[in-house]
Amino acid sequence: MKKIKSVEEALSYIKPGMTIMVGGFLGVGSPEKLIDGIIEKNIGDLTLIANDTSFPGVNYGKLVEHKLVKKVYTSHIGTNPESGIQMHSGEMEIILTPQGTLVEQIRAGGAGLGGVITPTGIGTVVEEGKQKIEIDGKLYIVEKPLKADVALLRGAKVDKKGNVYYDHAARNFNPIMAMAAELVIVEADEIVEIGDINPNDVMTPHIFVNVIVQGGK
Amino acid sequence: MNIKSIIANRVAKEFKDGNLVNLGIGLPTLVANYIPEDIEVTLQSENGFVGIGPAPEQGKEDPNLVNAGAQPVTINSGAAFFDSSISFSIIRGGHLDFTVLGALQVDEKGNLANWIIPGKMVPGMGGAMDLVTGAKKVIIAMTHTAKGNIKILKECTLPLTAKGRVNMIVTEMGVMEVTDKGLLLKEKNPTFTVEEIQAQTEAELIISEDLKDMEI
């Protein structure tokens, strides 16, 4: 199965109103060409699931600046002032979630689990309106799984079958999101031949990846 | 030493050989500079690795090697990278010996508020709630007051980061331990009297019988 596609073809799968997950941590480990393509094509009304809303002018931070996002599930918006402005004006709904909970909600979405049972947020506003359960005398919050229509990821090396190798701290949310979306698109810094990545070094197995696009300059 | 150095230097004295530590953004990051050389302490970065090294030389930054505040860093030999699920398993799962964070408010029951000022500043909690919930010991490293506003209270008024999880507060005025009975002042900066420290603290301080001087 041929997975390598042009950025243009990959973008044709992303429709207004969809829920997208974008890998990365403050824009590190995030796909550049796919994000710029969404902005160019003005694909809006999106629900974004990402660790943070990045910085102004940096990667998925630009989706917020271009007002293409109606709702965001995230742990941090403080580095992108535009997020706060749109939250206060009511243009964008923001669901703030502790980072460890957010990543596990995504993992649960991809792993077929019914939710996350976490002590994080007990005794804070995070628990408001949520189911709580006691296990062995300790209170936990039940958080629902998160899934997306499309996951947009970035890999340092991706082989033609779709096996992904990430570089340094660029791994972050990418391998988790690879399991939690209907369609998974990976932007590769470098596309390599099958076998060039040692099977022991594969961080996201090819079975999760649907589309590969060439990133870089 | 300046105020920040006094605080960072004192926090670093809590660590023991072999500890795994997460340092928050801002003042807590400075603690790394004061870790005694005769012990091995591993620093975690919640964006996905253990073994944070010093800042890189100018021109040698790697865009994929940054700390949780997006500042370029290096790694020490023996470092390890992982995804965010593992990173927060380390944090929430009780594998961190210490987390060191700043605070907007902290109170005598060990409650912490450091992620939101409703209507004014809504940055989000990031990893803070998980860190404070999961670490074995939570140290608050901060200036004693903020522009004259008292931060060590009987009860936090801002939305909490976590309830009853703070173990120790280190400021330029002293070292306070959170106990069942309230805040125990264990060490003080010799340039202040106990009365002067109390005047800058809303919570009533219990003075240790063995009150020591902080290194300044």
Side-chain angles (χ1 to χ4, degrees):
Chain A
M1 199 188 132
K2 194 181 169 292
K3 292 184 180 175
I4 301 172
K5 304 222 156 110
S6 68
V7 172
E8 185 73 21
E9 266 182 289
L11 287 169
S12 71
Y13 300 117
I14 307 169
K15 309 284 185 209
M18 276 188 167
T19 298
I20 62 167
M21 285 177 180
V22 183
F25 191 111
L26 292 171
V28 174
S30 309
E32 302 280 348
K33 285 190 171 173
L34 292 166
I35 295 296
D36 286 343
I38 290 174
I39 292 163
E40 212 168 286
K41 287 185 164 307
N42 203 35
I43 306 167
D45 211 20
L46 298 169
T47 295
L48 171 69
I49 301 171
N51 176 57
D52 47 74
T53 53
S54 190
F55 297 98
V58 176
N59 209 276
Y60 46 89
K62 291 186 277 190
L63 296 178
V64 176
E65 286 176 280
H66 284 80
K67 303 198 173 179
L68 298 174
V69 180
K70 66 170 179 206
K71 185 174 182 179
V72 55
Y73 290 85
T74 191
S75 76
H76 200 266
I77 62 168
T79 49
N80 189 343
E82 184 61 25
S83 321
I85 292 168
Q86 289 182 32
M87 178 178 70
H88 288 298
S89 70
E91 285 170 277
M92 186 166 69
E93 186 188 351
I94 294 183
I95 315 287
L96 279 173
T97 305
Q99 198 168 127
T101 302
L102 183 67
V103 71
E104 286 306 306
Q105 286 180 288
I106 298 165
R107 201 179 71 82
L113 299 173
V116 180
I117 300 170
T118 177
T120 303
I122 284 289
T124 77
V125 295
V126 169
E127 71 172 38
E128 286 172 13
K130 289 172 187 161
Q131 187 188 347
K132 278 175 278 177
I133 56 171
E134 195 183 308
I135 300 173
D136 293 341
K138 193 172 168 183
L139 258 187
Y140 297 86
I141 302 174
V142 179
E143 302 269 10
K144 290 181 178 173
L146 283 174
K147 293 186 94 162
D149 297 302
V150 184
L152 305 175
L153 313 179
R154 165 106 172 245
K157 278 185 190 168
V158 183
D159 74 21
K160 289 177 174 172
K161 222 171 156 62
N163 290 307
V164 187
Y165 172 89
Y166 305 97
D167 179 48
H168 291 140
R171 193 180 326 182
N172 55 63
F173 276 66
N174 282 294
I176 312 301
M177 289 177 170
M179 301 186 286
E182 286 299 314
L183 186 87
V184 175
I185 307 175
V186 181
E187 185 172 314
D189 293 345
E190 190 187 351
I191 298 175
V192 299
E193 294 300 326
I194 297 167
D196 280 0
I197 303 172
N198 182 322
N200 287 303
D201 295 337
V202 171
M203 297 169 184
T204 291
H206 66 86
I207 50 139
F208 292 119
V209 174
N210 305 104
V211 176
I212 305 160
V213 301
Q214 175 71 60
K217 298 274 153 12
Chain B
M1 287 190 277
N2 66 34
I3 285 176
K4 286 179 177 175
S5 303
I6 292 171
I7 298 167
N9 176 60
R10 178 58 190 84
V11 170
K13 294 209 181 334
E14 289 298 303
F15 304 156
K16 303 215 163 34
D17 191 35
N19 279 173
L20 176 61
V21 175
N22 186 297
L23 301 175
I25 293 162
L27 199 161
T29 305
L30 300 177
V31 173
N33 303 332
Y34 297 89
I35 296 170
E37 280 184 13
D38 58 339
I39 62 170
E40 191 182 327
V41 170
T42 301
L43 299 178
Q44 189 217 10
S45 195
E46 62 258 41
N47 52 331
F49 57 106
V50 288
I52 308 176
E57 287 172 45
Q58 218 172 354
K60 297 227 166 132
E61 299 90 351
D62 176 343
N64 288 338
L65 188 48
V66 298
N67 65 17
Q71 296 163 312
V73 292
T74 58
I75 43 170
N76 293 328
S77 128
F81 291 97
F82 32 77
D83 64 48
S84 297
S85 175
I86 292 181
S87 194
F88 279 84
S89 297
I90 292 170
I91 289 169
R92 202 190 315 96
H95 307 282
L96 272 180
D97 294 293
F98 290 94
T99 182
V100 184
L101 300 102
L104 294 164
Q105 296 178 338
V106 58
D107 73 26
E108 62 186 24
K109 294 179 191 71
N111 297 322
L112 168 68
N114 74 350
W115 73 279
I116 187 172
I117 305 175
K120 274 191 187 165
M121 185 193 79
V122 190
M125 65 291 277
M129 285 191 177
D130 297 287
L131 284 161
V132 179
T133 301
K136 285 182 193 150
K137 257 193 134 180
V138 177
I139 300 180
I140 300 304
M142 62 173 193
T143 55
H144 204 91
T145 57
K147 294 173 190 141
N149 289 318
I150 290 180
K151 293 157 79 176
I152 305 174
L153 306 174
K154 285 184 193 298
E155 196 168 356
C156 292
T157 56
L158 291 170
L160 297 183
T161 307
K163 208 173 169 182
R165 291 289 307 160
V166 175
N167 301 103
M168 182 179 263
I169 305 165
V170 179
T171 76
E172 77 283 13
M173 291 187 128
V175 179
M176 288 141 277
E177 196 178 288
V178 180
T179 71
D180 294 345
K181 297 188 177 74
L183 293 183
L184 177 70
L185 183 69
K186 295 181 78 174
E187 292 174 32
K188 74 172 191 66
N189 181 327
T191 58
F192 298 105
T193 65
V194 169
E195 291 70 29
E196 281 169 330
I197 300 170
Q198 182 63 71
Q200 300 298 320
T201 313
E202 187 195 77
E204 203 163 318
L205 296 171
I206 305 162
I207 313 305
S208 170
E209 286 171 19
D210 187 27
L211 184 65
K212 292 189 170 72
D213 277 346
M214 266 174 109
E215 188 185 324
I216 56 164

